[in-house]
Short mmCIF file of all heavy atoms in Angstrom, two decimals:
data_model
loop_
_atom_site.label_atom_id
_atom_site.label_comp_id
_atom_site.label_asym_id
_atom_site.label_seq_id
_atom_site.Cartn_x
_atom_site.Cartn_y
_atom_site.Cartn_z
N TYR A 4 66.05 86.92 187.15
CA TYR A 4 66.92 86.36 186.21
C TYR A 4 68.37 86.56 186.91
O TYR A 4 68.66 87.58 187.49
CB TYR A 4 66.86 87.36 184.97
CG TYR A 4 65.45 87.17 184.39
CD1 TYR A 4 64.56 88.29 184.78
CD2 TYR A 4 65.10 86.15 183.61
CE1 TYR A 4 63.20 88.11 184.25
CE2 TYR A 4 63.80 86.13 183.10
CZ TYR A 4 62.91 87.01 183.46
OH TYR A 4 61.57 86.94 182.99
N ARG A 5 69.08 85.46 186.87
CA ARG A 5 70.38 85.49 187.51
C ARG A 5 71.33 84.54 186.74
O ARG A 5 70.89 83.75 185.93
CB ARG A 5 70.19 84.94 188.95
CG ARG A 5 69.67 83.65 189.07
CD ARG A 5 69.79 83.07 190.56
NE ARG A 5 69.08 81.74 190.70
CZ ARG A 5 69.55 80.53 190.28
NH1 ARG A 5 70.77 80.54 189.71
NH2 ARG A 5 68.89 79.40 190.52
N ARG A 6 72.62 84.56 187.16
CA ARG A 6 73.56 83.69 186.63
C ARG A 6 73.34 82.20 186.94
O ARG A 6 72.77 81.86 188.01
CB ARG A 6 74.95 84.00 187.07
CG ARG A 6 75.62 85.28 186.60
CD ARG A 6 76.12 85.25 185.15
NE ARG A 6 77.15 84.50 184.92
CZ ARG A 6 78.51 84.90 184.86
NH1 ARG A 6 78.79 86.21 185.12
NH2 ARG A 6 79.50 84.19 184.60
N MET A 7 73.51 81.31 185.89
CA MET A 7 73.29 79.91 186.12
C MET A 7 74.41 79.34 186.96
O MET A 7 75.56 79.70 186.83
CB MET A 7 73.29 79.12 184.69
CG MET A 7 72.86 77.75 184.74
SD MET A 7 73.04 76.89 183.18
CE MET A 7 71.85 77.74 182.30
N THR A 8 74.08 78.54 187.90
CA THR A 8 75.07 77.87 188.79
C THR A 8 75.13 76.38 188.44
O THR A 8 74.27 75.76 187.80
CB THR A 8 74.67 77.99 190.31
OG1 THR A 8 73.47 77.24 190.50
CG2 THR A 8 74.53 79.47 190.61
N ASP A 11 72.05 74.42 189.05
CA ASP A 11 70.82 74.61 188.06
C ASP A 11 70.99 73.65 186.87
O ASP A 11 70.03 73.42 186.13
CB ASP A 11 70.81 76.10 187.51
CG ASP A 11 70.76 77.11 188.56
OD1 ASP A 11 69.97 76.86 189.51
OD2 ASP A 11 71.31 78.20 188.34
N ILE A 36 79.35 77.08 181.78
CA ILE A 36 79.20 78.01 182.88
C ILE A 36 80.49 78.39 183.55
O ILE A 36 80.55 79.35 184.25
CB ILE A 36 78.10 77.62 183.89
CG1 ILE A 36 78.46 76.41 184.66
CG2 ILE A 36 76.77 77.44 183.24
CD1 ILE A 36 77.51 75.98 185.79
N LYS A 38 83.41 78.81 181.81
CA LYS A 38 84.21 79.33 180.76
C LYS A 38 84.26 80.92 181.06
O LYS A 38 83.24 81.49 181.41
CB LYS A 38 83.79 79.18 179.44
CG LYS A 38 84.10 77.80 178.77
CD LYS A 38 83.48 77.64 177.40
CE LYS A 38 84.24 78.42 176.40
NZ LYS A 38 85.21 77.81 175.71
N ALA A 41 82.02 83.03 178.60
CA ALA A 41 80.60 82.63 178.38
C ALA A 41 79.74 83.06 179.59
O ALA A 41 80.31 83.21 180.72
CB ALA A 41 80.49 81.09 178.37
N ARG A 42 78.56 83.40 179.45
CA ARG A 42 77.63 83.86 180.43
C ARG A 42 76.30 83.04 180.22
O ARG A 42 75.77 83.07 179.17
CB ARG A 42 77.42 85.25 180.32
CG ARG A 42 78.57 86.22 180.35
CD ARG A 42 79.26 86.12 181.78
NE ARG A 42 80.32 87.05 181.63
CZ ARG A 42 81.62 86.74 181.45
NH1 ARG A 42 81.93 85.50 181.03
NH2 ARG A 42 82.59 87.64 181.50
N TYR A 43 75.84 82.37 181.31
CA TYR A 43 74.61 81.63 181.23
C TYR A 43 73.75 82.14 182.38
O TYR A 43 74.17 82.45 183.53
CB TYR A 43 74.94 80.24 181.46
CG TYR A 43 75.36 79.64 180.02
CD1 TYR A 43 76.65 79.92 179.48
CD2 TYR A 43 74.34 78.81 179.26
CE1 TYR A 43 76.97 79.37 178.21
CE2 TYR A 43 74.76 78.37 178.04
CZ TYR A 43 75.98 78.70 177.54
OH TYR A 43 76.38 78.18 176.25
N TYR A 44 72.47 82.16 182.12
CA TYR A 44 71.41 82.74 182.96
C TYR A 44 70.24 81.91 183.05
O TYR A 44 70.06 81.04 182.16
CB TYR A 44 70.97 84.14 182.44
CG TYR A 44 72.13 85.18 182.33
CD1 TYR A 44 72.82 85.36 181.09
CD2 TYR A 44 72.56 85.86 183.50
CE1 TYR A 44 73.85 86.22 180.98
CE2 TYR A 44 73.66 86.78 183.27
CZ TYR A 44 74.29 86.89 182.03
OH TYR A 44 75.39 87.78 181.97
N VAL A 45 69.55 81.96 184.14
CA VAL A 45 68.27 81.26 184.37
C VAL A 45 67.21 82.35 184.72
O VAL A 45 67.45 83.30 185.18
CB VAL A 45 68.38 80.21 185.39
CG1 VAL A 45 69.37 79.07 184.99
CG2 VAL A 45 68.86 80.76 186.81
N HIS A 88 67.67 90.37 179.56
CA HIS A 88 68.53 90.42 180.67
C HIS A 88 69.94 90.00 180.07
O HIS A 88 70.94 90.75 180.50
CB HIS A 88 68.09 89.39 181.72
CG HIS A 88 68.99 89.37 182.92
ND1 HIS A 88 69.10 90.20 183.93
CD2 HIS A 88 70.06 88.44 183.19
CE1 HIS A 88 70.04 89.91 184.82
NE2 HIS A 88 70.59 88.78 184.35
N GLU A 96 79.27 94.53 179.50
CA GLU A 96 80.56 93.97 179.28
C GLU A 96 81.20 94.43 177.94
O GLU A 96 82.23 94.04 177.54
CB GLU A 96 80.56 92.47 179.37
CG GLU A 96 80.25 91.97 180.71
CD GLU A 96 80.63 90.54 180.89
OE1 GLU A 96 81.77 90.15 180.73
OE2 GLU A 96 79.70 89.78 181.29
#
Side-chain angles (χ1 to χ4, degrees):
Y4 304 93
R5 61 169 175 78
R6 287 287 288 268
M7 188 182 295
T8 67
D11 301 325
I36 66 172
K38 284 179 69 96
R42 305 290 181 269
Y43 279 73
Y44 301 95
V45 294
H88 178 79
E96 294 196 56

